[in-house]
Amino acid sequence: MNETEIQTAVTPAEGPIIEVNSMHKWYGDFHVLSDINLKVKLKERIVICGPSGSGKSTLIRCINRLEEHQRGQIIVNGTELTNDIKNIEKVRTEVGMVFQHFNLFPHLTILDNLTLGPIWVRKTPKKEAEETAMMYLEKVHIAEQAQKFPGQLSGGQQQRVAIARSLCMKPKVMLFDEPTSALDPEMIKEVLDVMIDLAEEGMTMLVVTHEMGFAKSVADRVMFMDAGQIVEQNSPHDFFDNPQNERTKLFLSQIL
Amino acid sequence: MKKETSTTTDAELLPSAVPFWRDPEKRAIIFQIVALLLVACVSYYLFTNTQANLDRQSIATGFGFLDKEAGFEIGESVIDYSAADTYAKALLVGALNTVKVSFIGIVLTIILGTFIGISRLSTNWLVAKLAGGYIELMQNIPVLLQLFFWYAIFYESFPSPRQALNPFTGVFLCNRGLIFAVPAANPAYAGMGWAFLAALAIGWGLNRWGRQRQARTGQIFPAVRVTIALVIVLPLLVWLGYGAPTAMNMPELQGFNFKGGLTVTPEFSALLLGLVFYTAAFVAEIVRAGIQSVGRGQVEAAMSIGLYPGQVLHLVILPQALRVIIPPMTSQMLNLTKNSSLAIAIGFADFVAVTNTTINQTGQAIEGVALIMLIYLFFSLSTSLFMNWYNKKMALVER
Amino acid sequence: MSAPATTPTREYLKPPVTEVGVIGWLHANLFNSWFNSILTIVMLLVLWQLVPPFFSWAFIDSVWNSPAEACRDIDGACWSVIPQNISFIVFGFFPDGQQWRPGIAMLLLIALVIYSKDRKHWKKSLGVYWLVGLIVMGTLMYGGVFGMPVVETDQWSGLPLTFMLALFGMVAAYPLGVMLALGRRSKMPAIKTLCVIYIEMIRGVPLISLLFMSSVMFPLFLPEGVTIDKVLRAQVAIIMFTAAYIAEVVRGGLQAMPRGQFEAADSLGLNYNQTMRLIILPQALKIVIPPSLGILLSAFKDTSLVVIIALYDVLKTTKVTLSNPKWTGYSTEAYIALAIFYFICCYAMSSYSRKLEKALHTGR
C-alpha cells in the first residue's frame, strides 16, 4: 500500500489521529525542525530513525507539547495544540509517552506510580484505578513488583513499568523516545517484547529508536529524519531494501 | 613461635600463640588505655590548677549562686522580672528571650528564604538576578557586621520619640523602637484564638474525609481552599458575635517616651532583622538546590500523564524536593539559634548576655560557661535526633 | 505525491521576530507570560523609587575625604570617615612609625594567596613557600631582629589580626581536624568516643561560647603566674572550633573512598600509618578541598566575633573609630565600606571555590 495516500484510504468519519502541517521549530536561531508534514492514522505503527541531532526526539516531544512549535499546526485527535492550557491537557490525556530514562517517581511504589494519573487526572476511584493498574502490570509481566519502589528494580523492569504507567491513562497514541537506548543489552528484548505485544493489539505508536529489527517486524511505516526534515518514509520492506535518497542510503549503510 | 599440634583424634589446630605486643587486638587495647590515661592526667592537671586559682581568688563553686538575688535589670522580658529576683529567674528570662527571637526568626527565615529561593528560579530574568544578588550579598558579609548595621540604622537614622516617624496612625518609629497600637484586651480575642484552632481542626478533618471520598468515588475535594476560607471566616464570625470590638490600645507620647501599645525594641528588631536576612540567604540556596534536584524528566513524565502544574508541584516535585531540603534547612535553623548568641554585641538580653552579667558579678566563670554550652548543646542534640529520625523515615527505598 | 520524496531543498527560514535579538531576549526573559510581565513592571517601579535616591546619597551629595566638620553640612554620605581614619582602622594600635611592617606582611600574604590559586603550583614547593612566608610575616609583625622594635601581640590589631586569626586558625586546625576525623572512624571504642564527644560538643555550641570559655576559663586552667595573652586565647578557641568542622568535612571525604583502595593497600602490606599517609589521605583531602575552602570562608567571617571579647580586629577598630564624637553618626557609611571589603574577599573566595569544584569534578 502506498503510505503517502493515506488521505484516500481514510473515510471522512475517521480522520488522522495526528496531523502535522508545515510545522517549523527554532531553538533561538537554530532551525531544528523544518517543514514537517505528517499524518498518522489510528492503529498505525511508525518508526522514526535518523542520526543524533536530526530532530526526531524533538518532533515527538512537540506532539505532546513538551516542546513548543513556532509555525505550523499540530492537531491531535481533533484538538489543535496551541498555548491554550485546556487543549494541552486534553491532548496529554490522549497521548502517552515513554522516556529514554524511564522517569518513574522514586518516592512512590510501582502501584502508586501507575494510579497517580487516573486518580488525579481522570478522577477515578482508588479501587478501580488499582484494578486497572494491576491488569496492566500483569500485561507487562511485572505484577509481583507492585509494592516495590523504582529504586529496587532493574532498568528493563523500570521501563516496562513506565510503559504500564502510560497505558493506565488509556491513551489513543503512545510515543516512545528511544525506549531501549539506556538499557543493558540483555534487558532490551524484554522491553521490545512488550512493545510488540502492544503493537499487535492495535495501539497507535510513534517510536524513535535504533532497533531496526523492531522496525522491520512491527512498523507500518519507517521514517528517516535528518537535519530537521523528513527525508524519506516508506513501508519497512521498501525502506530497507530500496532506499531512494542518498542520505538514507548513507545512514542505513552505517547502522546495518 | 611454637606451633601447638593436638594429639587427640579430632584434630583441632589451635592458632599459634602471638606475643601480645604484635597482636593487633591487644595493641588496640593498650593504645586506648594509654590515650585515656593521657586525657585523665591532663584533666587532673587542669582541675587542680583551677581549684587552686579559684581558692586564691575566693570564688565560690557550685550552683548555689542561682538562689541569690540577681541585682541587675534586664532590658526586656517575656515574664515579669525585677532586680530583686534570683539569678535563676534572670537566666530563665534570658533563655526565654533566646527562644523568642529564635522562634520568630526561624518562622520569618523560612518564609523569606523560600520566597527568595523560588524567585531565584523564576523565568523572569530581573527577578532571578535580584534574588541571586541578594543571596550573594547576604552570604558574604559577616552576620555580626549585619547586626551592627541594622542597630546603627535604628539608633542613628531614627529620630527621638518626640519626633518619631508616624507612617500610619498608631505606628511610630523612633530610636526607642517600633511602637504600634494593638487591640485592647477583650474576651473576643480569646474566642477568636479558639475559633482559629477550631477552623484548623475542622479543616484537617475535612481533608481526611475528602481523601476517603476521593478513594471511593474519584471526586477531588478542595480541602486547602475550604480550610483557608474557614480560618478566615470562623474567627470573623466570633469577632462579630462579640459586637465587633475595635477598641485599640494606642501608644501615646507622654513626656519623653511612649506609653501603651506594643514596643518592639531596637535591640530585638536589629537582632531579628539581621539574623533573618542573613540566614534567609542560605535557606534560599537550599530551597533552590532542592527544587533543582528533582530532574526535568520527573516533571516531563508528570506532565505527560496530564497532571496540571499545581498537581505536578504537589504530587511529584515537593515530596522529592523536601527530602533534599529539610536536613540542611534544619542545620540553618540551628545556626540561627546559635547566632542569636551575638545578641550580646548589640545589647539584647539573650541567655548568653544574661549569663555573662552573672559571671561578671559572681566570678563563677566555669559554671556560667558550662550553662551556656549546655543549653546550646540541648538545642543541637535535639535537632540532630530529629534529623536522624526524619532521614530514616524519608529515605528513598533502593536496592 | 506518489513518488518518495527526493532531498527537499533546504530553505533557510528566519525564525519569527519575537524569538531572536534584543526583542527576543526581552520576550523570553522579562515578558514571557502575563504574570512575568506584570512582575517586571512592578519590579522596575520599585527599583525606580529606591535606586536614584540611594545613588544621590551615596555618590552625588557625598564627600570622600574631608575633615569631620565638612560632613555635617551635607545631605549625602560621609565616606571620609574611612580615609581619615584609615591607619587606625587597618592597623589598629600598631605603632605609627612601624606600620610598614604589617603592611608588607599583608602584601606578602596576598601574594602567596594569588600564587596558590593556580593549580599548577600545587607541589611540595608550595608548602615550603608558605612556611617561609609565614615565618617572615611573623618576624615582621613581632620584630626584635634587624633593628625592628618589638611589638607585643596585644598591639596587633586591625586587618592583620583578622587575617592572622583566620589563617592560623585554619592552618593549625587542619591537622587536628584530620586526626579527629580518623579517630572518629576508628574501630577502637575509646578513641572513637573521645572524638565523637569533642566534635559534637564543639559543633553544638556557638563560637561565642568558646571565645568566652577561652577568655575567662583558660586563665583558671593555668598554674599561678602563667598567663597567655588574649590574642592567643582567642586563636586557640578559633582553632578548636574550626577543627571540629574540618573533622566532619574530612570524614565525608574518607567515607567517599571506595573500599577497594583500603583493600589494595592492605594487600601490598602497608600498615595503618602508611595506608593513610600515602594512599587514603592524599585522595580524600583532594576531594574535600571545596568544602574546606567553605570552612576557611566561615572562619574569616567569624573572626569578626572577637569584637565581643574586646580584641581589636578590623570590625572593632571601625567601631572604636565611630565612638569618637567627631565621627559618631556615620556608622552607615563605615559599615557599608567594611561590608564591601568583606564582600570582595568572601566573594572572591567562594567563586574560586566554585570554579575549583567544577575543575576537580570534571578532571576525575
Side-chain angles (χ1 to χ4, degrees):
Chain A
M1 153 173 122
N2 201 332
E3 79 300 337
T4 49
E5 317 219 282
I6 299 167
Q7 301 92 305
T8 53
V10 162
T11 59
E14 14 163 324
I17 185 98
I18 297 179
E19 195 178 327
V20 180
N21 295 328
S22 305
M23 193 260 275
H24 294 260
K25 178 173 171 58
W26 287 266
Y27 280 136
D29 251 349
F30 176 54
H31 199 175
V32 58
L33 287 175
S34 177
D35 198 25
I36 304 290
N37 288 290
L38 176 64
K39 287 185 172 52
V40 181
K41 67 177 180 73
L42 203 54
K43 293 197 204 280
E44 205 180 348
R45 286 91 40 122
I46 302 184
V47 165
I48 307 177
C49 60
S52 62
S54 54
K56 42 190 206 301
S57 286
T58 314
L59 172 57
I60 62 170
R61 285 158 67 92
C62 283
I63 294 180
N64 75 343
R65 201 67 174 182
L66 287 179
E67 307 272 359
E68 286 177 18
H69 60 280
Q70 280 87 30
R71 197 188 286 190
Q73 266 186 332
I74 302 182
I75 302 175
V76 176
N77 197 23
T79 315
E80 182 178 348
L81 267 182
T82 57
N83 273 330
D84 187 343
I85 302 183
K86 280 236 157 45
N87 286 3
I88 297 178
E89 282 167 11
K90 220 154 152 244
V91 165
R92 283 181 178 160
T93 49
E94 304 297 341
V95 173
M97 180 124 180
V98 176
F99 297 85
Q100 186 178 355
H101 294 289
F102 338 130
N103 290 335
L104 293 180
F105 305 129
H107 59 295
L108 301 173
T109 60
I110 302 300
L111 191 64
D112 287 336
N113 261 278
L114 265 67
T115 55
L116 188 72
I119 288 180
W120 289 94
V121 181
R122 291 208 191 275
K123 305 203 179 21
T124 321
K126 187 163 164 182
K127 204 148 166 294
E128 196 185 312
E130 284 183 354
E131 279 166 19
T132 316
M134 287 308 292
M135 180 191 76
Y136 282 113
L137 284 178
E138 304 260 354
K139 210 175 177 45
V140 300
H141 316 299
I142 206 163
E144 70 282 1
Q145 311 282 10
Q147 292 305 328
K148 294 239 178 86
F149 286 85
Q152 296 173 290
L153 267 52
S154 74
Q157 290 171 319
Q158 289 189 50
Q159 193 62 300
R160 286 187 276 149
V161 169
I163 295 176
R165 178 177 64 175
S166 298
L167 288 174
C168 279
M169 292 295 286
K170 309 229 173 72
K172 295 209 167 53
V173 179
M174 287 280 282
L175 306 173
F176 291 82
D177 188 359
E178 306 215 31
T180 55
S181 298
L183 295 176
D184 293 336
E186 63 271 14
M187 298 193 227
I188 294 182
K189 181 176 185 309
E190 66 192 61
V191 173
L192 286 180
D193 284 343
V194 166
M195 288 166 67
I196 292 174
D197 284 343
L198 264 185
E200 279 167 11
E201 287 170 16
M203 172 65 77
T204 316
M205 297 161 77
L206 265 78
V207 183
V208 173
T209 184
H210 298 295
E211 296 290 326
M212 292 305 143
F214 175 80
K216 278 192 197 153
S217 60
V218 161
D220 294 317
R221 220 195 312 174
V222 181
M223 241 166 71
F224 171 66
M225 282 185 70
D226 189 21
Q229 294 173 306
I230 301 179
V231 172
E232 187 168 339
Q233 48 184 323
N234 231 325
S235 69
H237 182 262
D238 292 332
F239 184 85
F240 290 111
D241 296 335
N242 202 5
Q244 301 290 318
N245 192 297
E246 283 312 308
R247 278 194 271 170
T248 320
K249 288 184 194 158
L250 181 62
F251 177 73
L252 286 174
S253 70
Q254 286 167 333
I255 63 163
L256 289 176
Chain B
M1 276 189 290
K2 291 187 289 247
K3 218 178 186 147
E4 288 180 5
T5 47
S6 168
T7 50
T8 62
T9 40
D10 13 6
E12 202 195 326
L13 274 174
L14 294 165
S16 349
V18 181
F20 74 88
W21 63 86
R22 290 213 283 257
D23 181 347
E25 279 176 34
K26 306 255 180 1
R27 279 170 68 140
I29 297 181
I30 295 178
F31 189 78
Q32 291 175 78
I33 294 179
V34 168
L36 287 172
L37 274 177
L38 206 62
V39 171
C41 286
V42 172
S43 308
Y44 180 72
Y45 175 71
L46 293 176
F47 186 67
T48 43
N49 278 339
T50 314
Q51 285 278 50
N53 283 325
L54 287 175
D55 281 339
R56 220 171 6 98
Q57 297 174 31
S58 320
I59 299 176
T61 53
F63 288 94
F65 69 92
L66 287 173
D67 288 327
K68 300 220 184 75
E69 184 182 308
F72 59 91
E73 289 291 348
I74 298 184
E76 54 186 290
S77 169
V78 179
I79 56 178
D80 287 322
Y81 169 83
S82 75
D85 286 318
T86 59
Y87 280 115
K89 189 144 191 221
L91 290 175
L92 180 64
V93 168
L96 286 175
N97 278 340
T98 296
V99 168
K100 177 169 101 169
V101 76
S102 303
F103 184 73
I104 300 180
I106 287 176
V107 168
L108 291 178
T109 304
I110 294 182
I111 297 175
L112 182 64
T114 309
F115 175 71
I116 295 181
I118 295 181
S119 303
R120 180 81 179 77
L121 292 172
S122 167
T123 46
N124 186 318
W125 180 88
L126 195 58
V127 170
K129 281 290 179 236
L130 282 174
Y134 173 92
I135 293 174
E136 282 301 338
L137 191 67
M138 290 301 169
Q139 280 190 346
N140 287 314
I141 300 177
V143 62
L144 190 55
L145 180 54
Q146 294 189 36
L147 290 180
F148 282 154
F149 178 77
W150 289 112
Y151 193 57
I153 293 233
F154 273 94
Y155 254 120
E156 288 176 13
S157 310
F158 289 163
S160 69
R162 291 193 153 196
Q163 291 137 348
L165 298 173
N166 194 348
F168 318 108
T169 39
V171 177
F172 295 96
L173 266 178
C174 65
N175 60 17
R176 298 295 187 102
L178 170 72
I179 306 143
F180 52 90
V182 286
N186 187 307
Y189 299 113
M192 285 170 73
W194 287 114
F196 180 78
L197 290 173
L200 286 177
I202 297 177
W204 178 80
L206 276 178
N207 190 29
R208 272 183 60 126
W209 169 82
R211 271 186 295 164
Q212 284 166 354
R213 190 181 77 145
Q214 182 182 8
R216 262 198 337 268
T217 65
Q219 292 169 286
I220 303 177
F221 182 75
V224 175
R225 275 174 267 190
V226 168
T227 312
I228 294 180
L230 277 176
V231 158
I232 296 178
V233 165
L234 281 184
L236 193 65
L237 287 175
V238 169
W239 182 73
L240 288 172
Y242 271 93
T246 50
M248 299 289 274
N249 184 349
M250 293 287 278
E252 292 202 339
L253 186 56
Q254 289 181 6
F256 285 103
N257 208 345
F258 282 94
K259 285 234 175 338
L262 193 64
T263 308
V264 180
T265 59
E267 289 82 11
F268 181 78
S269 316
L271 186 62
L272 191 65
L273 283 176
L275 287 176
V276 168
F277 282 133
Y278 179 73
T279 319
F282 292 89
V283 169
E285 279 291 274
I286 292 172
V287 167
R288 178 184 71 85
I291 295 181
Q292 282 184 323
S293 75
V294 181
R296 269 232 82 196
Q298 291 287 303
V299 176
E300 288 181 353
M303 290 203 292
S304 308
I305 301 184
L307 295 170
Y308 63 81
Q311 290 170 326
V312 172
L313 189 68
H314 156 235
L315 295 168
V316 176
I317 297 185
L318 277 183
Q320 298 185 61
L322 281 176
R323 276 180 173 80
V324 175
I325 289 177
I326 296 217
M329 178 95 105
T330 334
S331 295
Q332 284 304 324
M333 299 302 105
L334 191 57
N335 277 347
L336 187 141
T337 311
K338 288 195 282 181
N339 280 336
S340 71
S341 58
L342 296 175
I344 189 172
I346 57 169
F348 178 73
D350 82 316
F351 187 76
V352 170
V354 172
T355 314
N356 187 44
T357 315
T358 310
I359 294 179
N360 288 337
Q361 287 192 191
T362 64
Q364 298 195 246
I366 300 185
E367 287 82 355
V369 172
L371 277 177
I372 294 178
M373 294 176 81
L374 270 173
I375 213 175
Y376 283 103
L377 271 176
F378 169 70
F379 287 136
S380 307
L381 290 176
S382 3
T383 313
S384 295
L385 280 173
F386 165 74
M387 279 233 288
N388 282 339
W389 168 83
Y390 178 83
N391 278 337
K392 277 212 184 69
K393 188 159 175 280
M394 299 303 255
L396 290 175
V397 182
E398 305 203 337
R399 280 216 223 223
Chain C
M1 272 258 256
S2 48
T6 48
T7 318
T9 42
R10 178 78 190 255
E11 41 164 329
Y12 178 67
L13 286 173
K14 277 194 118 65
V17 171
T18 50
E19 293 296 306
V20 289
V22 176
I23 302 186
W25 184 88
L26 281 176
H27 184 245
N29 289 303
L30 290 178
F31 296 102
N32 50 17
S33 74
W34 273 117
F35 180 68
N36 272 341
S37 309
I38 299 179
L39 205 57
T40 305
I41 295 176
V42 167
M43 303 260 32
L44 286 175
L45 276 173
V46 168
L47 287 176
W48 181 248
Q49 291 282 59
L50 292 178
V51 172
F54 175 76
F55 204 74
S56 68
W57 174 82
F59 294 107
I60 303 186
D61 295 330
S62 56
V63 292
W64 291 82
N65 192 358
S66 68
E69 297 71 36
C71 282
R72 310 227 175 260
D73 299 328
I74 51 152
D75 273 333
C78 177
W79 297 113
S80 330
V81 63
I82 301 288
Q84 291 284 319
N85 297 295
I86 190 85
S87 68
F88 182 71
I89 291 177
V90 173
F91 294 113
F93 293 115
F94 215 87
D96 271 338
Q98 303 290 313
Q99 285 179 349
W100 57 271
R101 284 157 52 184
I104 295 190
M106 287 203 291
L107 284 173
L108 186 56
L109 180 65
I110 294 174
L112 274 173
V113 165
I114 295 181
Y115 182 77
S116 311
K117 274 174 53 155
D118 191 342
R119 285 203 293 149
K120 291 200 274 285
H121 295 142
W122 289 7
K123 303 191 284 264
K124 264 227 170 65
S125 50
L126 188 65
V128 174
Y129 292 148
W130 270 98
L131 195 58
V132 170
L134 286 171
I135 295 177
V136 171
M137 281 188 262
T139 326
L140 274 172
M141 293 290 290
Y142 192 73
V145 291
F146 300 131
M148 298 188 285
V150 168
V151 178
E152 296 291 345
T153 55
D154 56 6
Q155 285 185 296
W156 295 8
S157 38
L159 211 48
L161 186 65
T162 300
F163 282 137
M164 185 186 88
L165 285 173
L167 193 62
F168 277 114
M170 192 67 180
V171 164
Y174 218 88
L176 182 58
V178 170
M179 290 204 301
L180 284 169
L182 290 174
R184 186 164 181 170
R185 280 175 55 89
S186 160
K187 295 198 184 55
M188 295 187 269
I191 306 290
K192 181 171 173 161
T193 318
L194 284 173
C195 291
V196 168
I197 291 180
Y198 178 91
I199 293 175
E200 291 303 319
M201 243 188 63
I202 301 282
R203 278 166 53 98
V205 298
L207 177 57
I208 191 134
S209 64
L210 288 174
L211 287 173
F212 272 163
M213 187 179 90
S214 73
S215 66
V216 302
M217 277 170 72
F218 280 7
L220 291 174
F221 288 159
L222 296 171
E224 189 178 344
V226 177
T227 53
I228 53 173
D229 71 44
K230 284 171 75 176
V231 172
L232 192 54
R233 281 181 243 164
Q235 183 74 83
V236 169
I238 293 182
I239 290 175
M240 284 174 62
F241 185 72
T242 314
Y245 287 84
I246 290 180
E248 282 298 276
V249 161
V250 170
R251 184 168 78 103
L254 289 171
Q255 273 178 329
M257 294 298 301
R259 275 204 74 194
Q261 294 291 307
F262 292 93
E263 290 174 352
D266 279 344
S267 56
L268 284 174
L270 298 174
N271 65 27
Y272 180 81
N273 285 337
Q274 292 165 328
T275 309
M276 286 300 155
R277 193 167 49 88
L278 300 169
I279 313 282
I280 304 295
L281 284 179
Q283 295 183 62
L285 292 180
K286 183 169 172 206
I287 298 177
V288 300
I289 289 180
S292 303
L293 282 178
I295 295 182
L296 175 61
L297 185 57
S298 297
F300 181 69
K301 287 191 288 181
D302 286 340
T303 57
S304 53
L305 265 65
V306 299
V307 162
I308 299 180
I309 53 170
L311 275 182
Y312 285 80
D313 78 313
V314 70
L315 180 57
K316 178 87 173 165
T317 52
T318 311
K319 270 204 99 176
V320 166
T321 310
L322 290 169
S323 63
N324 180 340
K326 272 208 300 181
W327 299 104
T328 315
Y330 301 118
S331 313
T332 323
E333 291 87 333
Y335 288 145
I336 290 182
L338 196 56
I340 294 178
F341 162 72
Y342 272 113
F343 180 77
I344 294 177
C345 293
C346 296
Y347 187 71
M349 271 194 259
S350 55
S351 27
Y352 176 71
S353 170
R354 274 191 289 250
K355 275 200 212 101
L356 193 60
E357 196 166 1
K358 271 209 199 99
L360 286 178
H361 203 70
T362 51
R364 301 178 100 218

